Coordinates of all heavy atoms in Angstrom, one line a residue:
M1 N -40.4 -93.4 36.4 CA -39.7 -93.8 37.7 C -40.8 -94.3 38.6 O -41.8 -93.8 38.8 CB -39.1 -92.5 38.3 CG -37.9 -92.0 37.5 SD -37.3 -90.4 38.1 CE -37.0 -90.7 39.8
E2 N -40.4 -95.5 39.2 CA -41.3 -96.1 40.2 C -40.6 -96.2 41.5 O -39.5 -96.9 41.6 CB -41.7 -97.5 39.7 CG -42.6 -98.2 40.6 CD -42.8 -99.7 40.2 OE1 -42.2 -100.1 39.3 OE2 -43.7 -100.3 40.8
Y3 N -41.2 -95.6 42.5 CA -40.6 -95.7 43.9 C -40.7 -97.2 44.4 O -41.8 -97.7 44.4 CB -41.2 -94.7 44.8 CG -40.6 -94.7 46.2 CD1 -39.3 -94.2 46.3 CD2 -41.2 -95.2 47.3 CE1 -38.7 -94.1 47.6 CE2 -40.6 -95.2 48.5 CZ -39.3 -94.6 48.7 OH -38.7 -94.6 49.9
V4 N -39.6 -97.8 44.8 CA -39.7 -99.2 45.3 C -39.3 -99.3 46.8 O -39.3 -100.4 47.3 CB -38.8 -100.1 44.4 CG1 -39.4 -100.2 43.0 CG2 -37.4 -99.7 44.4
G5 N -39.1 -98.2 47.4 CA -38.8 -98.2 48.8 C -37.3 -97.9 49.1 O -36.4 -98.0 48.2
D6 N -37.0 -97.5 50.3 CA -35.7 -97.2 50.8 C -34.9 -96.3 49.9 O -33.7 -96.4 49.6 CB -34.9 -98.6 50.9 CG -33.7 -98.5 51.8 OD1 -33.7 -97.6 52.7 OD2 -32.7 -99.2 51.5
R7 N -35.7 -95.2 49.4 CA -35.1 -94.2 48.5 C -34.6 -94.7 47.2 O -33.7 -94.1 46.6 CB -34.0 -93.4 49.3 CG -34.5 -92.7 50.5 CD -33.4 -91.9 51.1 NE -33.9 -91.3 52.4 CZ -33.4 -90.2 52.9 NH1 -32.4 -89.6 52.3 NH2 -33.9 -89.7 54.0
L8 N -35.1 -95.8 46.7 CA -34.7 -96.4 45.5 C -35.9 -96.4 44.5 O -37.0 -96.5 44.9 CB -34.2 -97.8 45.7 CG -32.9 -97.9 46.5 CD1 -32.6 -99.4 46.8 CD2 -31.8 -97.2 45.9
F9 N -35.5 -96.3 43.2 CA -36.5 -96.3 42.1 C -36.1 -97.3 41.0 O -35.0 -97.6 40.8 CB -36.5 -94.9 41.5 CG -37.0 -93.8 42.4 CD1 -36.1 -93.3 43.3 CD2 -38.3 -93.3 42.4 CE1 -36.5 -92.3 44.2 CE2 -38.7 -92.3 43.2 CZ -37.8 -91.8 44.1
N10 N -37.2 -97.8 40.3 CA -37.0 -98.5 39.1 C -37.3 -97.5 37.9 O -38.1 -96.6 38.1 CB -37.9 -99.7 39.0 CG -37.6 -100.7 40.0 OD1 -36.5 -100.8 40.5 ND2 -38.6 -101.6 40.3
L11 N -36.6 -97.7 36.8 CA -36.7 -96.8 35.7 C -37.2 -97.6 34.5 O -36.7 -98.6 34.2 CB -35.4 -96.1 35.4 CG -35.3 -95.0 34.3 CD1 -36.3 -93.9 34.7 CD2 -33.9 -94.5 34.1
S12 N -38.3 -97.1 33.9 CA -39.0 -97.7 32.8 C -39.2 -96.8 31.7 O -39.2 -95.6 31.9 CB -40.3 -98.3 33.3 OG -40.1 -99.2 34.3
Y13 N -39.5 -97.3 30.5 CA -40.0 -96.5 29.4 C -41.2 -97.1 28.8 O -41.4 -98.3 28.9 CB -38.9 -96.2 28.4 CG -38.5 -97.4 27.5 CD1 -39.1 -97.6 26.2 CD2 -37.7 -98.4 27.9 CE1 -38.9 -98.6 25.4 CE2 -37.4 -99.5 27.1 CZ -38.0 -99.6 25.9 OH -37.7 -100.7 25.1
M14 N -42.0 -96.3 28.1 CA -43.2 -96.8 27.4 C -42.8 -97.2 26.0 O -42.3 -96.4 25.2 CB -44.3 -95.8 27.4 CG -45.6 -96.4 26.8 SD -47.0 -95.3 26.8 CE -47.5 -95.5 28.5
R15 N -43.1 -98.5 25.6 CA -42.9 -98.9 24.3 C -44.0 -98.4 23.4 O -45.0 -97.9 23.8 CB -42.9 -100.5 24.3 CG -41.7 -101.0 25.0 CD -41.7 -102.5 25.1 NE -42.0 -103.1 23.8 CZ -41.1 -103.5 22.9 NH1 -39.9 -103.5 23.2 NH2 -41.5 -104.0 21.7
H16 N -43.8 -98.5 22.1 CA -44.8 -98.1 21.1 C -46.1 -98.9 21.2 O -47.1 -98.5 20.7 CB -44.2 -98.3 19.7 CG -44.0 -99.7 19.3 ND1 -42.8 -100.4 19.7 CD2 -44.7 -100.5 18.5 CE1 -42.9 -101.6 19.2 NE2 -44.0 -101.7 18.5
T17 N -46.0 -100.0 22.0 CA -47.2 -100.8 22.2 C -48.0 -100.3 23.4 O -49.0 -101.0 23.8 CB -46.8 -102.3 22.4 OG1 -45.9 -102.3 23.6 CG2 -46.2 -102.9 21.2
E18 N -47.6 -99.2 24.0 CA -48.1 -98.6 25.2 C -48.0 -99.5 26.4 O -48.8 -99.4 27.3 CB -49.6 -98.2 24.9 CG -49.7 -97.1 23.9 CD -51.1 -96.6 23.7 OE1 -51.9 -96.7 24.6 OE2 -51.4 -96.0 22.7
T19 N -47.0 -100.3 26.4 CA -46.7 -101.1 27.6 C -45.4 -100.6 28.2 O -44.5 -100.2 27.5 CB -46.6 -102.6 27.4 OG1 -45.6 -102.8 26.3 CG2 -47.9 -103.2 26.9
W20 N -45.2 -100.6 29.5 CA -44.0 -100.1 30.2 C -43.0 -101.3 30.2 O -43.3 -102.4 30.5 CB -44.4 -99.7 31.6 CG -45.1 -98.4 31.6 CD1 -46.5 -98.2 31.6 CD2 -44.6 -97.1 31.4 NE1 -46.8 -96.9 31.5 CE2 -45.7 -96.2 31.4 CE3 -43.3 -96.6 31.3 CZ2 -45.5 -94.8 31.2 CZ3 -43.1 -95.2 31.1 CH2 -44.2 -94.3 31.1
F21 N -41.7 -100.9 30.0 CA -40.6 -101.8 29.9 C -39.6 -101.3 30.9 O -39.0 -100.3 30.7 CB -40.0 -102.0 28.5 CG -38.9 -103.0 28.4 CD1 -39.2 -104.3 28.4 CD2 -37.6 -102.6 28.3 CE1 -38.2 -105.3 28.3 CE2 -36.6 -103.5 28.2 CZ -36.9 -104.9 28.2
E22 N -39.3 -102.1 32.0 CA -38.4 -101.7 33.0 C -36.9 -102.0 32.5 O -36.6 -103.0 32.0 CB -38.6 -102.6 34.3 CG -37.8 -102.1 35.4 CD -38.2 -102.9 36.7 OE1 -39.2 -102.6 37.3 OE2 -37.5 -103.9 37.0
I23 N -36.1 -100.9 32.6 CA -34.7 -101.1 32.1 C -33.7 -101.0 33.2 O -32.6 -101.5 33.1 CB -34.4 -100.0 31.1 CG1 -34.8 -98.6 31.5 CG2 -35.1 -100.3 29.8 CD1 -34.4 -97.5 30.6
F24 N -34.0 -100.4 34.4 CA -33.1 -100.3 35.5 C -33.9 -100.5 36.8 O -35.0 -100.1 36.9 CB -32.4 -99.0 35.6 CG -31.5 -98.7 34.4 CD1 -31.8 -97.9 33.4 CD2 -30.2 -99.4 34.3 CE1 -31.0 -97.6 32.3 CE2 -29.4 -99.1 33.2 CZ -29.8 -98.3 32.2
R25 N -33.2 -101.2 37.8 CA -33.9 -101.4 39.1 C -33.0 -100.8 40.2 O -31.8 -100.8 40.1 CB -34.1 -102.9 39.3 CG -35.0 -103.6 38.3 CD -35.1 -105.1 38.6 NE -35.7 -105.3 40.0 CZ -36.9 -105.3 40.3 NH1 -37.8 -105.0 39.4 NH2 -37.3 -105.5 41.5
D26 N -33.7 -100.4 41.2 CA -33.0 -100.0 42.5 C -32.0 -98.9 42.3 O -30.8 -99.0 42.8 CB -32.4 -101.2 43.2 CG -33.4 -102.3 43.5 OD1 -34.6 -101.9 43.8 OD2 -33.1 -103.4 43.5
L27 N -32.4 -97.8 41.6 CA -31.5 -96.7 41.4 C -31.8 -95.6 42.4 O -33.0 -95.4 42.7 CB -31.6 -96.1 40.0 CG -31.2 -97.1 38.9 CD1 -31.4 -96.4 37.5 CD2 -29.8 -97.6 39.0
S28 N -30.9 -94.8 42.8 CA -31.1 -93.6 43.6 C -31.8 -92.6 42.6 O -31.7 -92.7 41.4 CB -29.9 -93.0 44.1 OG -29.1 -92.5 43.1
I29 N -32.4 -91.6 43.2 CA -33.1 -90.5 42.4 C -32.0 -89.8 41.5 O -32.3 -89.5 40.4 CB -33.9 -89.5 43.3 CG1 -34.6 -88.5 42.4 CG2 -33.0 -88.7 44.2 CD1 -36.0 -88.9 42.1
D30 N -30.9 -89.6 42.1 CA -29.8 -88.9 41.3 C -29.4 -89.8 40.1 O -29.1 -89.2 39.0 CB -28.6 -88.6 42.2 CG -28.9 -87.5 43.2 OD1 -29.8 -86.7 42.9 OD2 -28.2 -87.4 44.2
K31 N -29.2 -91.1 40.3 CA -28.8 -92.0 39.2 C -29.9 -92.1 38.2 O -29.6 -92.1 37.0 CB -28.5 -93.3 39.8 CG -27.8 -94.2 38.8 CD -26.5 -93.7 38.3 CE -25.8 -94.6 37.3 NZ -24.6 -94.1 36.8
C32 N -31.2 -92.1 38.6 CA -32.3 -92.1 37.6 C -32.2 -90.8 36.7 O -32.3 -90.9 35.5 CB -33.6 -92.1 38.3 SG -34.1 -93.7 38.9
L33 N -32.1 -89.7 37.3 CA -32.1 -88.4 36.6 C -30.8 -88.4 35.7 O -30.9 -87.9 34.5 CB -32.1 -87.2 37.5 CG -33.4 -87.1 38.3 CD1 -33.3 -86.0 39.3 CD2 -34.6 -87.0 37.4
E34 N -29.7 -88.8 36.2 CA -28.5 -88.9 35.3 C -28.7 -89.8 34.1 O -28.3 -89.5 33.0 CB -27.3 -89.4 36.2 CG -26.0 -89.6 35.4 CD -24.9 -90.2 36.3 OE1 -25.0 -90.1 37.5 OE2 -24.0 -90.8 35.7
T35 N -29.3 -90.9 34.4 CA -29.6 -91.9 33.3 C -30.5 -91.3 32.2 O -30.2 -91.4 31.0 CB -30.2 -93.2 33.8 OG1 -29.3 -93.7 34.8 CG2 -30.5 -94.2 32.8
I36 N -31.5 -90.6 32.7 CA -32.4 -89.9 31.7 C -31.7 -88.8 30.9 O -31.8 -88.7 29.7 CB -33.7 -89.3 32.5 CG1 -34.5 -90.5 33.1 CG2 -34.5 -88.5 31.5 CD1 -35.5 -90.0 34.1
Q37 N -30.9 -88.1 31.6 CA -30.1 -87.0 31.0 C -29.2 -87.6 29.9 O -29.1 -87.1 28.8 CB -29.3 -86.2 32.0 CG -28.4 -85.2 31.4 CD -29.1 -84.0 31.0 OE1 -30.1 -83.6 31.6 NE2 -28.7 -83.3 30.0
N38 N -28.5 -88.7 30.3 CA -27.6 -89.3 29.3 C -28.4 -89.9 28.1 O -27.9 -89.8 27.0 CB -26.8 -90.5 30.0 CG -25.8 -89.9 31.0 OD1 -25.4 -88.8 31.0 ND2 -25.4 -90.8 31.9
F39 N -29.6 -90.4 28.3 CA -30.4 -90.9 27.2 C -30.8 -89.8 26.3 O -30.6 -89.9 25.1 CB -31.6 -91.6 27.8 CG -32.5 -92.1 26.7 CD1 -32.3 -93.2 25.9 CD2 -33.7 -91.3 26.4 CE1 -33.1 -93.6 24.9 CE2 -34.5 -91.7 25.4 CZ -34.2 -92.8 24.6
I40 N -31.2 -88.7 26.8 CA -31.7 -87.6 26.0 C -30.5 -87.0 25.2 O -30.6 -86.8 24.0 CB -32.3 -86.5 26.9 CG1 -33.7 -87.0 27.4 CG2 -32.5 -85.2 26.1 CD1 -34.3 -86.2 28.4
T41 N -29.3 -86.9 25.9 CA -28.1 -86.4 25.2 C -27.7 -87.4 24.1 O -27.4 -86.9 23.0 CB -27.0 -86.3 26.2 OG1 -27.4 -85.4 27.2 CG2 -25.7 -85.8 25.6
S42 N -27.8 -88.7 24.3 CA -27.5 -89.7 23.3 C -28.4 -89.6 22.1 O -28.0 -89.7 21.0 CB -27.5 -91.1 24.0 OG -27.4 -92.0 23.0
C43 N -29.7 -89.4 22.4 CA -30.7 -89.3 21.3 C -30.3 -88.1 20.5 O -30.4 -88.1 19.2 CB -32.1 -89.2 21.9 SG -32.7 -90.7 22.6
H44 N -30.0 -87.0 21.1 CA -29.7 -85.8 20.4 C -28.5 -85.9 19.5 O -28.5 -85.5 18.4 CB -29.5 -84.6 21.4 CG -29.3 -83.3 20.7 ND1 -28.1 -82.8 20.3 CD2 -30.2 -82.3 20.4 CE1 -28.3 -81.7 19.7 NE2 -29.5 -81.3 19.8
K45 N -27.5 -86.6 20.1 CA -26.3 -86.8 19.3 C -26.5 -87.7 18.1 O -25.8 -87.6 17.1 CB -25.2 -87.4 20.2 CG -24.6 -86.4 21.1 CD -23.5 -87.0 22.0 CE -22.9 -86.0 23.0 NZ -21.9 -86.6 23.8
N46 N -27.5 -88.6 18.2 CA -27.8 -89.5 17.1 C -28.8 -88.9 16.2 O -29.4 -89.6 15.4 CB -28.3 -90.8 17.7 CG -27.2 -91.6 18.3 OD1 -26.1 -91.7 17.8 ND2 -27.5 -92.2 19.4
I47 N -29.0 -87.6 16.2 CA -29.9 -86.9 15.3 C -31.3 -87.3 15.3 O -32.0 -87.4 14.3 CB -29.3 -86.9 13.9 CG1 -27.8 -86.5 13.9 CG2 -30.0 -85.8 13.0 CD1 -27.1 -86.7 12.6
I48 N -31.8 -87.6 16.5 CA -33.2 -87.9 16.6 C -33.9 -86.5 16.7 O -33.6 -85.7 17.5 CB -33.6 -88.7 17.9 CG1 -33.1 -90.1 17.7 CG2 -35.1 -88.7 18.1 CD1 -33.3 -91.1 18.8
K49 N -34.7 -86.2 15.7 CA -35.2 -84.8 15.6 C -36.2 -84.4 16.6 O -36.3 -83.2 16.9 CB -35.8 -84.7 14.2 CG -34.8 -84.8 13.1 CD -35.4 -84.6 11.7 CE -34.3 -84.7 10.7 NZ -34.9 -84.6 9.3
E50 N -36.9 -85.3 17.1 CA -38.0 -84.9 18.1 C -38.2 -86.0 19.1 O -38.3 -87.2 18.8 CB -39.3 -84.7 17.3 CG -40.4 -84.1 18.1 CD -41.5 -83.7 17.2 OE1 -41.4 -83.6 16.0 OE2 -42.6 -83.5 17.8
I51 N -38.3 -85.6 20.3 CA -38.7 -86.6 21.4 C -40.1 -86.1 21.9 O -40.2 -85.0 22.4 CB -37.7 -86.6 22.6 CG1 -36.4 -87.1 22.1 CG2 -38.2 -87.4 23.7 CD1 -35.3 -87.0 23.1
H52 N -41.1 -86.9 21.7 CA -42.4 -86.6 22.1 C -42.6 -86.8 23.6 O -42.3 -87.8 24.2 CB -43.5 -87.4 21.4 CG -43.5 -87.1 19.9 ND1 -44.1 -86.0 19.4 CD2 -42.9 -87.8 18.9 CE1 -44.0 -86.1 18.1 NE2 -43.3 -87.1 17.8
I53 N -43.1 -85.7 24.2 CA -43.4 -85.8 25.7 C -44.9 -85.6 25.8 O -45.4 -84.5 25.6 CB -42.6 -84.8 26.5 CG1 -41.1 -85.0 26.3 CG2 -43.0 -84.8 27.9 CD1 -40.2 -84.0 26.9
H54 N -45.6 -86.6 26.1 CA -47.0 -86.6 26.2 C -47.5 -86.5 27.6 O -47.0 -87.1 28.5 CB -47.7 -87.8 25.6 CG -47.3 -88.0 24.2 ND1 -47.9 -87.3 23.2 CD2 -46.4 -88.8 23.6 CE1 -47.4 -87.7 22.0 NE2 -46.5 -88.6 22.2
A55 N -48.5 -85.6 27.9 CA -49.2 -85.5 29.1 C -48.3 -85.5 30.3 O -47.7 -84.5 30.7 CB -50.3 -86.5 29.3
I56 N -48.1 -86.6 30.9 CA -47.2 -86.7 32.1 C -45.8 -86.6 31.7 O -45.0 -86.1 32.5 CB -47.4 -88.1 32.8 CG1 -48.8 -88.2 33.4 CG2 -46.4 -88.3 34.0 CD1 -49.2 -89.6 33.9
G57 N -45.4 -86.9 30.5 CA -44.1 -86.7 30.0 C -43.4 -88.0 29.7 O -43.9 -89.1 29.7
F58 N -42.1 -87.8 29.5 CA -41.2 -88.9 29.2 C -41.1 -90.0 30.3 O -41.0 -91.1 30.1 CB -39.8 -88.4 28.9 CG -38.8 -89.4 28.6 CD1 -38.8 -90.1 27.4 CD2 -37.8 -89.7 29.5 CE1 -37.8 -91.1 27.1 CE2 -36.9 -90.7 29.3 CZ -36.9 -91.3 28.1
I59 N -41.3 -89.5 31.5 CA -41.2 -90.3 32.7 C -42.5 -90.6 33.3 O -43.3 -89.7 33.4 CB -40.3 -89.6 33.8 CG1 -39.0 -89.2 33.2 CG2 -40.1 -90.6 35.0 CD1 -38.3 -88.2 34.1
R60 N -42.8 -91.8 33.6 CA -44.1 -92.1 34.3 C -43.8 -92.1 35.7 O -43.0 -93.0 36.2 CB -44.6 -93.5 33.8 CG -45.9 -93.8 34.5 CD -46.5 -95.1 34.0 NE -47.7 -95.4 34.7 CZ -48.3 -96.5 34.7 NH1 -47.7 -97.6 34.2 NH2 -49.4 -96.7 35.3
V61 N -44.3 -91.2 36.4 CA -44.1 -91.1 37.9 C -45.2 -91.9 38.6 O -46.3 -91.5 38.5 CB -44.0 -89.6 38.4 CG1 -43.8 -89.6 39.9 CG2 -43.0 -88.9 37.6
M62 N -44.8 -93.0 39.2 CA -45.7 -93.8 39.9 C -46.1 -93.2 41.3 O -45.3 -92.5 41.8 CB -45.1 -95.2 40.1 CG -44.7 -95.9 38.8 SD -46.0 -96.2 37.6 CE -46.8 -97.5 38.5
E63 N -47.3 -93.5 41.7 CA -47.7 -93.1 43.1 C -46.7 -93.7 44.1 O -46.4 -94.9 44.1 CB -49.1 -93.5 43.4 CG -49.6 -93.1 44.7 CD -51.0 -93.6 44.9 OE1 -51.7 -94.0 44.0 OE2 -51.4 -93.5 46.1
I64 N -46.2 -92.9 45.0 CA -45.3 -93.4 46.1 C -46.2 -94.0 47.2 O -47.0 -93.3 47.8 CB -44.4 -92.3 46.6 CG1 -43.5 -91.7 45.5 CG2 -43.6 -92.8 47.8 CD1 -42.7 -90.5 45.9
V65 N -45.9 -95.3 47.4 CA -46.6 -96.0 48.4 C -45.6 -96.7 49.3 O -44.8 -97.5 48.8 CB -47.6 -97.0 47.8 CG1 -48.3 -97.8 48.9 CG2 -48.6 -96.4 46.9
E66 N -45.7 -96.5 50.6 CA -44.8 -97.2 51.5 C -45.5 -98.0 52.5 O -46.6 -97.7 52.9 CB -43.8 -96.2 52.2 CG -42.8 -95.7 51.2 CD -41.7 -95.0 52.0 OE1 -41.1 -95.6 52.9 OE2 -41.5 -93.8 51.7

């Protein structure tokens, strides 16, 4: 999640190439968390056995700068 101002965030994920890929822009914090929850639920339903959460975790929290 990257804070972009006015209480909005962009949501990205890290590809296997270790580069960040933005998938959603200008979401509220609640919508970001809902999107992540839905993704994890979807993965579980599709029998993905393991989701690796490294160091900072699944979400890269960017420094908030205004």
Side-chain angles (χ1 to χ4, degrees):
M1 291 172 55
E2 175 188 12
Y3 184 71
V4 293
D6 199 28
R7 298 181 183 204
L8 297 174
F9 296 80
N10 293 340
L11 187 58
S12 303
Y13 74 95
M14 183 179 281
R15 295 178 45 96
H16 66 281
T17 58
E18 296 187 19
T19 57
W20 288 97
F21 184 76
E22 187 175 278
I23 52 176
F24 296 103
R25 297 181 57 82
D26 301 328
L27 299 178
S28 69
I29 186 94
D30 290 336
K31 190 63 178 174
C32 280
L33 296 175
E34 177 186 335
T35 301
I36 294 165
Q37 177 75 33
N38 290 342
F39 174 78
I40 292 170
T41 301
S42 174
C43 288
H44 187 273
K45 286 180 180 177
N46 290 319
I47 313 174
I48 291 181
K49 294 181 180 178
E50 189 174 342
I51 297 174
H52 293 281
I53 300 176
H54 300 282
I56 296 173
F58 176 74
I59 307 165
R60 180 179 183 197
V61 179
M62 303 296 290
E63 180 180 346
I64 297 175
V65 179
E66 287 192 57

